[in-house]
Amino acid sequence: MAIISNAVTIADAGAFSASLGSMVHIKTITISSNAATVSFVHGSSDVVLDSTYPIYKFEIINLHPDTNKVYFGFQASTDSGSNYGVTCTASNFGAFQTEGGSDGSLGYQTGGDLTQSTSYPQIGAGDRLGSHNDNNFAAELILFNPSNTTFIKHFLCSTQHGGADAATSSNYCGGYFNTTSAINAMSFKFHNNASNIQSGKIKLYGIKDS
Amino acid sequence: MAVVSNGTTIIDAGALGSGVPTGKMILIKTLTASSSATLSFVHGASSVVFDDTYDKYVFKFINMHPATNEAYFTFNMSLDTGSNYNVVKTTTFFRANHPEAGSNGSLAYRTGDDLAQSASFQRLSAQIGNGNDESTSGYLTIFNPSSTVFQKHFMAQSNAYQIGNEHTNNSHIAGYGNTTSAIDAIQFKMHSGNTDSGVIKLYGIGG
């Protein structure tokens, strides 16, 4: 039975006809004690990462490492999280500035890019993320059409973090997972110095196309 | 009485059913400039929410038009609900520039536009012309401003028309408020003169 108000169909067939916004929250993972990795696997723990949405957005908020001078990375899986090692090519550039004010700079980060590698693409700048109590990391990662079985899978990421050396770094990475298989899981972790994620939050949203 | 359609609870007890996916970008407040010296969003005032209700806040500024030629659009943060806008910040600023004449497109870090442990207002744009059709537009994202543990990260991007050689300037700004106190207000202003016109919208992002 449809719900009709003033000749406008509000709901029908188990869904709203009226617009409810296009950015839909899917899953929040909150880390409150040391975790080596955080993973979002389609079909597990209410995670949706399939053709439901053409664009997925991960928001990373106040992520804090337990080890100084680390960087954060992510990888994709085509087998529901059994393996995270999809071949990736990515670029990375960013701006850097110390609290002393003497080192403002902008540059390509050769250490942060990937060339047909199955390593974790780097989010952020080198090993500049600090573990001081107030240091943390914020980022937005957009993954385009992960369920597609024709095209490679593009992503864009922008980050901002407080550094191990009393500095700020803003970084921008883009690239693609060089696979035509559907991506159905994503993993996040600190990628060097064996650091755990001590605290923070990662949120997954789906962006509707209609 | 619940409203159930095709087995799905749409509305119950005065709220949407939990199975109804809803948008998570919520418009909180719109301010419209009219020869305004400052434009402020203060938590708890004039229906503004700027606390732990959302993990992330996004300001979208649209067609900010200065009264004074070559003004910079700027912002600062407050820890005392708007009594003072002077949070210490360390920031980066780089921009891509291209003149209408089509030569000398460039990308460069801007040492004069960043801050190093400064309480000054942070520039969010290049210099803006005050011709009738000139303005800047962009967005400013602030992560978890209510945290009492972490630095307060922000990221911004704008595009501005720069008078003179008639340039477009795409600016990228980021940094942190170097405080572990909660930020509860944000103020925008031109660095010189009023904001003649423009709209700033505050959204809360959260799930």
Side-chain angles (χ1 to χ4, degrees):
Chain A
M1 181 188 75
I3 300 171
I4 299 171
S5 175
N6 201 28
V8 175
T9 299
I10 303 298
D12 194 13
F16 269 94
S17 306
S19 175
L20 296 172
S22 296
M23 182 173 171
V24 178
H25 175 248
I26 297 171
K27 179 78 177 177
T28 295
I29 296 180
T30 301
I31 305 100
S32 53
S33 61
N34 279 353
T37 62
V38 170
S39 301
F40 293 80
V41 180
H42 174 69
S44 174
S45 302
D46 301 321
V47 169
V48 175
L49 191 69
D50 64 358
S51 62
T52 303
Y53 303 99
I55 300 172
Y56 288 84
K57 184 175 186 181
F58 295 89
E59 297 202 336
I60 300 168
I61 300 164
N62 290 151
L63 226 64
H64 182 71
D66 72 347
T67 305
N68 204 28
K69 294 195 171 185
V70 297
Y71 63 86
F72 200 60
F74 64 97
Q75 247 293 1
S77 171
T78 58
D79 55 11
S80 301
S82 296
N83 298 280
Y84 291 98
V86 178
T87 299
C88 178
T89 294
S91 63
N92 187 311
F93 72 96
F96 177 77
Q97 159 84 320
T98 65
E99 292 183 0
S102 59
D103 296 312
S105 63
L106 169 69
Y108 189 83
Q109 305 286 328
T110 52
D113 63 13
L114 289 179
T115 306
Q116 292 297 90
S117 171
T118 57
S119 297
Y120 276 54
Q122 182 173 314
I123 307 176
D127 57 0
R128 289 173 174 160
L129 177 57
S131 63
H132 305 296
N133 286 343
D134 62 348
N135 285 164
N136 70 100
F137 177 80
E140 299 171 337
L141 168 64
I142 298 171
L143 179 63
F144 295 90
N145 208 6
S147 69
N148 184 278
T149 55
T150 302
F151 296 114
I152 56 177
K153 310 302 185 298
H154 290 292
F155 59 84
L156 293 170
C157 185
S158 54
T159 72
Q160 164 60 29
H161 60 81
D165 302 313
T168 182
S169 290
S170 61
N171 268 74
Y172 304 84
C173 66
Y176 53 83
F177 290 107
N178 200 353
T179 180
T180 55
S181 298
I183 288 172
N184 52 22
M186 294 285 285
S187 171
F188 298 85
K189 69 176 182 179
F190 286 113
H191 194 44
N192 57 337
N193 292 339
S195 178
N196 287 313
I197 305 167
Q198 197 169 67
S199 62
K201 192 180 287 186
I202 303 180
K203 311 185 89 159
L204 172 60
Y205 295 89
I207 310 295
K208 295 179 183 175
D209 62 350
S210 62
Chain B
M1 183 187 76
V3 177
V4 179
S5 176
N6 201 31
T8 299
T9 299
I10 304 296
I11 301 169
D12 193 16
L16 292 176
S18 60
V20 178
T22 57
K24 297 302 179 184
M25 181 171 176
I26 308 299
L27 176 63
I28 296 171
K29 182 75 178 178
T30 298
L31 294 181
T32 301
S34 178
S35 299
S36 305
T38 61
L39 293 157
S40 302
F41 293 82
V42 180
H43 175 68
S46 302
S47 306
V48 170
V49 174
F50 199 69
D51 61 0
D52 62 357
T53 302
Y54 300 98
D55 295 316
K56 194 175 93 169
Y57 290 84
V58 177
F59 296 90
K60 293 185 182 287
F61 46 94
I62 302 161
N63 291 339
M64 307 310 293
H65 177 71
T68 303
N69 199 29
E70 299 194 343
Y72 295 95
F73 189 56
T74 68
F75 89 103
N76 213 328
M77 311 172 187
S78 173
L79 309 176
D80 53 13
T81 55
S83 296
N84 298 279
Y85 290 95
N86 57 1
V87 171
V88 171
K89 296 173 290 301
T90 295
T91 70
T92 58
F93 192 118
F94 68 92
R95 77 183 192 199
N97 171 289
H98 192 223
E100 291 183 3
S103 59
N104 301 321
S106 63
L107 173 68
Y109 191 87
R110 301 280 300 176
T111 53
D113 294 333
D114 65 12
L115 297 176
Q117 293 297 90
S118 171
S120 298
F121 277 64
Q122 171 63 48
R123 293 174 179 175
L124 286 173
S125 73
Q127 292 165 297
I128 313 161
N130 71 342
N132 286 344
D133 64 347
E134 296 162 8
S135 67
T136 188
S137 296
Y139 65 85
L140 165 66
T141 299
I142 298 182
F143 294 87
N144 202 9
S146 67
S147 169
T148 55
V149 176
F150 294 117
Q151 301 160 326
K152 308 304 184 299
H153 290 300
F154 65 87
M155 297 191 289
Q157 186 178 170
S158 71
N159 204 73
Y161 176 91
Q162 182 179 354
I163 194 69
N165 294 324
E166 297 174 327
H167 293 253
T168 181
N169 278 300
N170 176 207
S171 300
H172 294 252
I173 309 99
Y176 52 79
N178 202 355
T179 178
T180 55
S181 299
I183 290 170
D184 51 20
I186 299 290
Q187 185 175 84
F188 297 87
K189 67 178 183 180
M190 295 292 171
H191 94 286
S192 175
N194 289 337
T195 303
D196 259 357
S197 62
V199 172
I200 307 177
K201 291 178 173 283
L202 169 60
Y203 297 88
I205 312 292

